[in-house]
């Protein structure tokens, strides 16, 4: 399901939008190879060969021709911390706060999905320091508090805020004392650290036994392929305020080469650390985000 980021403030509250995204996603599952899984996915998981057949739900098998086992409450104790980059570069494009808005809606939908599955969830937002962090809980009341925090984040004024991704990753690794799924929404631009330092932070998360799902958020048309009209532009660094006037075609080849290499290094390093790395284009469907989460969730025991 897609939501026009320009219309987000007119469409209603975060909780309503999150439910809308998840319900649309679940409806889509009925038409996919997951058919049946979505019917009662809070209580069922796919049967793995070699497992005991004692808990197979034969009623679901009769409807779907697929084997699912009943999942009990003590098995649904996943802890998840959703980490959202709120630095100024995430407020691009400025007219919609595009990357941040996309990340907030995706986070709200995942939080709703987690709570629906009786899993525990918390959120953290950061720039060059942690700005907001919540406990990790599974109650409906706590989910409502998360929605309020996300609403506040969406309505925040944009100031010049730099990024320190590497430092934050180390903090998150230390603050989460129990093994958790850490879901990160970030464009992975870091003012203070080189790529090596960022991956030391990710390595710290893995060393502390956390599972990591990284959504690399971008406006792919402009930030990756540099698609601008052939006319003069004034480009503004949202984190420093520095301005530069130029014709896009003068720098496009050099820029796209540098960005492509950076994206490739991100994906490669994440692969080496066995971190799930997902390109999250703000112009694409939220179902891609929820599907990536669901696939990751299904692998966790």
């Amino acid at each position: 399901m897609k939501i026009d980021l320009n219309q987000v403030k007119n469409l209603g509250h975060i909780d309503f939008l999150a439910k809308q995204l998840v319900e649309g996603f679940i409806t889509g599952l009925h038409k996919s190879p997951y058919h049946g899984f979505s019917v009662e996915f809070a209580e069922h998981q796919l049967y793995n060969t070699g497992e005991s057949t004692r808990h197979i739900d034969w009623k679901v098998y009769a409807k779907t021709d697929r084997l699912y086992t009943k999942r009990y409450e003590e098995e649904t104790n996943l802890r998840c911390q959703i980490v959202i980059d709120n630095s100024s570069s995430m407020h691009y494009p400025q007219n919609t706060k595009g990357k941040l808005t996309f990340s907030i809606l995706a986070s709200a939908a995942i939080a709703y999905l987690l709570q629906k599955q009786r899993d525990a969830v918390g959120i953290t937002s950061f720039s060059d320091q942690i700005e907001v962090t919540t406990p990790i809980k599974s109650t409906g009341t706590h989910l409502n508090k998360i929605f309020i925090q996300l609403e506040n984040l969406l309505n925040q004024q944009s100031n010049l805020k730099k990024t320190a991704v590497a430092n934050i990753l180390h903090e998150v690794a230390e603050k989460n004392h129990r093994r958790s799924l850490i879901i990160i929404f970030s464009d992975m631009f870091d003012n203070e650290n080189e790529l090596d330092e960022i991956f030391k932070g990710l390595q710290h998360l893995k060393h502390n036994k956390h599972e990591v799902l990284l959504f690399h958020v971008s406006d792919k048309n402009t930030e990756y392929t540099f698609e601008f009209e052939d006319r003069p532009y004034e480009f503004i660094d949202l984190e420093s305020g520095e301005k530069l006037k130029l014709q896009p075609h003068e720098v496009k080849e050099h820029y796209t080469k540098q960005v492509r290499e950076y994206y490739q290094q991100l994906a490669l390093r994440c692969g080496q650390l066995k971190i799930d790395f997902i390109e999250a284009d703000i112009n694409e469907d939220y179902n891609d985000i929820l599907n990536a989460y669901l696939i990751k969730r299904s692998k966790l025991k």
Side-chain angles (χ1 to χ4, degrees):
M1 181 177 178
K2 292 183 75 170
I3 290 179
D4 184 349
L5 298 183
N6 289 289
Q7 300 298 318
V8 166
K9 290 192 176 181
N10 301 323
L11 291 174
H13 295 294
I14 292 291
D15 56 344
F16 170 76
L17 293 173
K19 291 172 186 176
Q20 199 175 35
L21 286 170
V22 170
E23 285 167 9
F25 174 65
I26 293 171
T27 300
L29 287 180
H30 282 279
K31 302 171 184 176
S32 77
Y34 288 98
H35 178 68
F37 179 65
S38 58
V39 176
E40 298 175 305
F41 69 90
E43 286 107 23
H44 291 80
Q45 63 185 13
L46 273 170
Y47 171 76
N48 293 314
T49 305
E51 287 182 341
S52 168
T53 58
R54 186 160 57 111
H55 297 303
I56 288 178
D57 190 323
W58 296 107
K59 289 182 180 178
V60 172
Y61 174 73
K63 288 190 288 184
T64 66
D65 201 30
R66 292 168 72 87
L67 292 173
Y68 293 91
T69 55
K70 291 182 180 179
R71 193 174 63 173
Y72 296 95
E73 184 139 8
E74 62 271 18
E75 296 179 286
T76 61
N77 57 354
L78 174 75
R79 292 170 48 83
C80 178
Q81 185 79 45
I82 301 174
V83 182
I84 305 168
D85 186 347
N86 185 35
S87 59
S88 292
S89 66
M90 290 290 288
H91 290 241
Y92 175 83
Q94 282 185 295
N95 59 328
T96 60
K97 298 185 182 179
K99 291 189 286 187
L100 180 63
T101 302
F102 181 90
S103 301
I104 288 170
L105 287 180
S107 297
I110 290 174
Y112 179 71
L113 200 48
L114 279 155
Q115 202 274 332
K116 195 173 178 69
Q117 293 178 284
R118 301 191 301 274
D119 293 327
V121 60
I123 60 162
T124 294
S125 67
F126 73 93
S127 51
D128 57 351
Q129 60 186 357
I130 288 179
E131 297 176 342
V132 172
T133 192
T134 74
I136 298 177
K137 296 181 179 179
S138 59
T139 65
T141 304
H142 179 65
L143 180 65
N144 289 332
K145 289 178 181 177
I146 285 177
F147 287 147
I148 291 169
Q149 291 288 358
L150 291 174
E151 193 95 42
N152 292 340
L153 189 59
L154 182 65
N155 294 322
Q156 237 180 43
Q157 292 298 312
S158 176
N159 300 312
L160 294 179
K161 293 195 289 189
K162 296 189 175 182
T163 324
V165 177
N167 302 349
I168 300 303
L169 294 176
H170 287 297
E171 277 197 64
V172 171
E174 287 302 315
K175 286 178 183 293
N176 286 278
H177 302 296
R178 292 169 57 188
R179 183 173 182 264
S180 305
L181 170 61
I182 310 295
I183 298 178
I184 303 165
F185 286 91
S186 174
D187 55 17
M188 299 303 282
F189 296 142
D190 193 321
N191 297 94
E192 299 184 7
N193 300 284
E194 297 294 330
L195 196 55
D196 285 345
E197 292 302 313
I198 292 175
F199 281 93
K200 285 179 184 175
L202 289 169
Q203 198 166 27
H204 191 173
L205 287 169
K206 293 294 291 185
H207 178 75
N208 285 20
K209 308 300 183 187
H210 300 303
E211 289 293 330
V212 183
L213 177 56
L214 171 58
F215 289 107
H216 183 222
V217 186
S218 71
D219 178 9
K220 204 163 186 179
N221 290 338
T222 57
E223 293 188 301
Y224 186 76
T225 56
F226 210 62
E227 295 296 331
F228 290 95
E229 293 177 22
D230 190 17
R231 62 176 177 81
Y233 281 84
E234 181 177 64
F235 291 90
I236 303 171
D237 185 328
L238 294 178
E239 298 193 5
S240 69
E242 184 180 349
K243 299 178 180 179
L244 183 65
K245 292 181 179 179
L246 53 79
Q247 292 268 10
H249 75 268
E250 295 173 346
V251 298
K252 182 173 181 175
E253 185 178 349
H254 175 73
Y255 172 87
T256 54
K257 181 176 182 291
Q258 295 294 318
V259 167
R260 188 164 56 249
E261 288 176 359
Y262 183 71
Y263 279 35
Q264 287 171 348
Q265 278 298 309
L266 276 173
L268 177 65
R269 299 283 192 91
C270 284
Q272 290 169 345
L273 292 174
K274 293 184 170 56
I275 287 171
D276 293 68
F277 177 82
I278 309 294
E279 289 290 1
D281 181 359
I282 65 171
N283 304 295
E284 294 300 323
D285 201 314
Y286 282 91
N287 286 359
D288 296 338
I289 303 297
L290 295 175
N291 194 50
Y293 156 73
L294 195 64
I295 290 169
K296 181 67 175 176
R297 177 68 182 90
S298 69
K299 295 176 183 175
L300 301 177
K301 301 296 182 184

